[in-house]
């Protein structure tokens, strides 16, 4: 019975090593992803350098599920540019085109989805008529078609939600 006990102990120690090795590998993957994300934030100047288009409001230019790459620069935002912005009181950023600039000397802009009939003032906070610079998260500088569907499915399908 001695050699069986030694064999079992050997198997247990092997499993512990495998589990530890897998845990360390997973930790390195997560750490690498966070480092890459932080590096992208520094390089692009945007608090969220990658976003997923969640609605059909920008069709035909961007489809639901497209991934947009953002960059924030000090250059003034101009009409026609596609921007991602946050609205006070809304947790999810919005991807729309700058429709109009204000004439008040500020960097205030009015946005509109390409597939929408009206501008976005209805989406803004009550009483807000323009977006200011602090609302803008970044400008779209590139996109990857349909690659964001994994994110959409994981957030919309109840089977993937964790309580």
């Amino acid at each position: 019975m001695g050699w069986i006990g030694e064999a079992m102990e050997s198997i247990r120690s092997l499993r512990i090593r495998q589990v530890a090795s897998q845990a360390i590998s997973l930790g390195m993957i997560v750490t690498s992803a966070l480092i890459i994300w932080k590096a992208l934030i520094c390089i692009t100047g945007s608090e969220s350098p990658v976003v997923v288009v969640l609605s059909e409001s920008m069709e035909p230019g961007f489809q639901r599920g497209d991934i947009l790459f953002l960059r924030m620069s000090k250059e003034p935002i101009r009409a026609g540019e596609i921007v991602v912005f946050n609205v006070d009181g809304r947790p999810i950023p919005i991807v729309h085109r700058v429709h109009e600039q204000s004439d008040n000397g500020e960097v205030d802009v009015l946005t509109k989805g390409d597939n929408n009939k009206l501008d976005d003032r209805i989406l803004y906070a009550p009483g807000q008529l323009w977006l200011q610079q602090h609302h803008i998260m970044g400008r779209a500088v590139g996109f990857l078609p349909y690659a964001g569907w994994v994110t959409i499915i994981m957030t919309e399908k109840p089977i993937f939600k964790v309580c």
Side-chain angles (χ1 to χ4, degrees):
M1 190 94 161
W3 65 273
I4 293 176
E6 289 176 18
M8 293 298 288
E9 186 62 34
S10 175
I11 290 172
R12 279 193 206 112
S13 71
L14 183 62
R15 285 189 182 156
I16 291 171
R17 286 185 186 138
Q18 286 177 336
V19 168
S21 175
Q22 289 177 350
I24 290 170
S25 294
L26 179 62
M28 291 178 67
I29 290 169
V30 170
T31 303
S32 296
L34 290 173
I35 289 170
I36 290 169
W37 184 257
K38 287 296 187 180
L40 282 173
I41 289 171
C42 291
I43 292 167
T44 64
S46 174
E47 64 188 75
S48 181
V50 178
V51 294
V52 176
V53 178
L54 298 176
S55 74
E56 295 86 12
S57 67
M58 283 303 291
E59 289 182 355
F62 296 113
Q63 307 294 319
R64 187 168 192 247
D66 289 354
I67 289 181
L68 296 181
F69 301 101
L70 307 181
R71 179 160 179 75
M72 196 64 198
S73 66
K74 303 223 185 268
E75 299 171 16
I77 297 170
R78 293 179 168 57
E81 287 187 291
I82 296 167
V83 295
V84 176
F85 59 92
N86 274 325
V87 175
D88 299 331
R90 288 179 169 249
I92 298 174
I94 300 171
V95 178
H96 279 175
R97 189 179 304 274
V98 175
H99 182 62
E100 189 178 325
Q101 292 172 268
S102 81
D103 296 332
N104 66 2
E106 299 290 322
V107 188
D108 298 347
V109 296
L110 176 64
T111 56
K112 176 183 172 296
D114 290 354
N115 200 23
N116 296 345
K117 291 184 181 359
L118 301 174
D119 62 42
D120 289 342
R121 285 189 172 137
I122 195 164
L123 299 175
Y124 300 165
Q128 183 180 358
L129 300 176
W130 301 90
L131 292 176
Q132 286 82 38
Q133 184 69 35
H134 70 274
H135 292 110
I136 308 295
M137 294 174 60
R139 301 174 172 151
V141 293
F143 76 104
L144 191 59
Y146 306 111
W149 270 103
V150 172
T151 302
I152 292 173
I153 290 169
M154 290 180 72
T155 56
E156 289 184 357
K157 301 298 179 195
I159 194 166
F160 292 107
K161 290 187 178 181
V162 178
C163 295

